[in-house]
């Protein structure tokens, strides 16, 4: 199935044919559609396990395969990260309560292409500080995406995100990053959400990767719990994340995981 038409750069980054972007469009659209659909279920009283069960069912019904089930021993179709959980929250018995904010992250495989996206949801009442955190994290992702064009570097993406977030007196998580994607789940490069202008590999048409900044209201440090997956803020401060899968085009980029119903941001409808 994998035909490896494209070449690798000296940094080991695969260059896809732009004709291959169709595969990413379909996979990205499907992942984003599932995140649209699950929004109606997020309310106080629902368990994270019930949200994951719905996602798992839709992944199958829509003809795709979960990329996360079986990935390094992970057993669920989504990661659900509530409040001070930074990423890789494991769905289960946890009951969502009024005022909780959560990130849901889904990766599907469709015809061999990986669509990876995550976004924030709110259960019930949204506090002012959570609202600000979500807005800043969303805008940081979009500012990073604005830097995606041939000739810019990966450092330009990280710089744009870090500079904006820190100007709002919030912090960028360093311990997790975006990644190359396409016909594999995680491949070079590591897409850092901090950095210096002009540093890192040069962006070229045909590269496909994720940008997925995690932003904390407090300090950037994280720790992984004893389950070996759940990452939390060390200072217990609230954390948020948004993720898109993007491809570099001749003059900019294409976002593969746009929300079909325009529900990417929790206060949009
Ligand atoms: N979707 C996550 C990412 O953005 C990876 C989740 S791996 C899992 O890269 F095993 F935790 F699901
Ligand atoms: Co990702
Ligand atoms: Co993801």
């Amino acid at each position: 199935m994998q035909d490896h038409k494209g070449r690798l750069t000296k940094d080991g980054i695969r260059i896809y044919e732009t004709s291959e972007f169709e595969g990413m469009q379909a996979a990205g659209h499907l992942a984003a559609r599932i995140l649209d659909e699950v929004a109606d279920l997020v309310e106080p009283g629902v368990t994270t396990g019930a949200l994951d069960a719905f996602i798992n069912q839709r992944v199958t019904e829509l003809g795709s395969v979960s990329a996360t089930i079986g990935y390094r021993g992970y057993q669920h179709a989504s990661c659900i990260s509530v409040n001070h959980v930074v990423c890789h929250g494991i769905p289960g018995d946890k009951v969502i309560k009024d005022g909780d904010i959560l990130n849901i992250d889904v990766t599907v495989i469709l015809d061999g292409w990986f669509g990876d996206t995550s976004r924030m949801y709110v259960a019930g009442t949204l506090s002012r500080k959570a609202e600000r955190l979500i807005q800043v994290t969303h805008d940081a992702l979009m500012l990073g995406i604005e830097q995606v064009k041939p000739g810019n570097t990966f450092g330009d993406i990280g710089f744009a995100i870090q500079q904006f977030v820190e100007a709002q007196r919030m912090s960028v998580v360093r311990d997790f990053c975006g990644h190359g994607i396409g016909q594999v789940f995680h491949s070079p490069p590591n897409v850092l959400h901090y950095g210096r202008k002009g540093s890192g590999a040069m962006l070229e048409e045909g590269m496909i990767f994720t940008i997925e900044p995690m932003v904390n209201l407090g300090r950037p440090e994280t720790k992984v719990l004893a389950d070996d997956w759940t990452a939390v803020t060390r200072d217990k401060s609230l954390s948020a994340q948004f993720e898109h899968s993007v491809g570099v085009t001749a003059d900019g980029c294409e976002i593969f995981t746009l929300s079909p119903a325009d529900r990417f941001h929790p206060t949009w409808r």
Side-chain angles (χ1 to χ4, degrees), residues 149-210:
K149 57 180 169 210
N152 275 5
T153 69
F154 282 96
D156 294 334
I157 298 171
F159 175 80
I161 292 169
Q162 180 182 17
Q163 166 162 277
F164 174 71
V165 168
E166 292 180 354
Q168 314 299 315
R169 307 196 137 267
M170 299 182 193
S171 63
V172 174
V173 169
R174 312 287 205 274
D175 302 335
F176 300 92
C177 56
H179 49 91
I181 194 166
Q183 288 179 314
V184 283
F185 193 176
H186 293 110
S187 61
N190 286 332
V191 180
L192 306 182
H193 304 113
Y194 59 93
R196 291 174 199 275
K197 259 185 199 169
S199 69
M202 187 90 81
L203 299 176
E204 291 180 46
E205 182 179 1
M207 289 179 176
I208 301 176
F209 53 89
T210 73

Side-chain angles (χ1 to χ4, degrees), residues 68 71 74 76 78-79 88 105-107 116 177 179 185-186 210 212 229 241 243:
T68 54
Y71 176 78
Y74 195 78
H76 307 273
S78 62
C79 297
H88 302 163
D105 190 338
V106 171
T107 310
D116 184 6
C177 56
H179 49 91
F185 193 176
H186 293 110
T210 73
E212 47 184 298
W229 282 106
Q241 178 178 28
E243 175 177 27

Side-chain angles (χ1 to χ4, degrees), residues 138-151:
H138 171 271
D139 293 353
L141 168 61
M142 299 319 288
L143 285 168
I145 290 174
E146 278 180 25
Q147 293 297 317
V148 180
K149 57 180 169 210

